[in-house]
Amino acid sequence: MPKSKKGRFTVPVHPICHRAIHANFTNAELARIGEDREALLQNAALAKFVKWVSDKPPDFHAPTRTGR
């Protein structure tokens, strides 16, 4: 949950994944979703990104595009 929406806990997220999440969801949407990973993956663009990035090395970095 974003800090701007009263999120209190931080979860380590790789920078490229963090950008992809914010490219596909507003902070309000993320606040509603909470910690439900499956709800995030119901978004077709994010699911496609996760599939694509899953075989990349941990230090992989690339620009992301918005799905909106």
Side-chain angles (χ1 to χ4, degrees):
M1 181 174 304
K3 288 181 183 178
S4 67
K5 296 294 181 182
K6 309 283 189 228
R8 295 179 186 257
F9 302 102
T10 58
V11 176
V13 178
H14 190 277
I16 191 173
C17 298
H18 188 250
R19 286 192 306 269
I21 290 168
H22 281 286
N24 288 285
F25 296 95
T26 65
N27 281 348
E29 290 170 324
L30 291 171
R32 282 192 301 274
I33 291 169
E35 298 177 22
D36 187 353
R37 179 181 182 271
E38 292 306 314
L40 289 174
L41 294 176
Q42 288 178 2
N43 175 284
L46 189 62
K48 182 178 176 182
F49 168 80
V50 169
K51 182 178 179 183
W52 172 78
V53 80
S54 66
D55 67 348
K56 305 293 186 267
D59 61 347
F60 179 77
H61 292 278
T64 56
R65 298 182 311 196
T66 61
R68 297 180 169 253

